[in-house]
Amino acid sequence: MRTTEVAKSVRKPTNLSLDSALLKEAKYLGINVSRSAEAGIAEAVKLHKRSKWLNENAEAIESSNAYVEANGLPLARHRQF
């Protein structure tokens, strides 16, 4: 979920259990705990989706890499760099 999508989404009140010392320090520093938690969860979701995609496509990626290793890049002769 991109930042713009998060900003437009409907918020739902949620209960979280957080380290009390960390929460106290965040509040002292003026950190918006809800937004910070949301950003952390969004990053975890992104990383999980990336990992899942890589696992699901590992065979195709391996096959493509093997082809390039054996035959070189397709259309390499047209590259200008």
Side-chain angles (χ1 to χ4, degrees):
M1 189 177 285
R2 282 182 254 134
T3 309
T4 54
E5 291 173 357
V6 171
K8 294 178 182 177
S9 65
V10 176
R11 302 235 178 296
K12 180 180 178 184
T14 305
N15 291 325
L16 296 173
S17 296
L18 303 171
D19 179 283
S20 60
L22 184 61
L23 183 60
K24 183 178 179 181
E25 187 172 7
K27 285 187 177 189
Y28 174 77
L29 294 170
I31 295 172
N32 183 323
V33 176
S34 293
R35 296 292 177 150
S36 297
E38 185 173 35
I41 293 168
E43 181 67 16
V45 167
K46 181 178 87 171
L47 292 174
H48 181 79
K49 283 181 170 181
R50 179 183 185 279
S51 177
K52 184 179 175 188
W53 186 91
L54 287 171
N55 285 333
E56 289 172 351
N57 293 283
E59 189 177 326
I61 293 168
E62 187 177 318
S63 172
S64 178
N65 288 340
Y67 176 87
V68 170
E69 209 171 296
N71 303 296
L73 288 171
L75 306 174
R77 66 178 180 266
H78 300 292
R79 294 177 77 171
Q80 296 183 16
F81 54 92

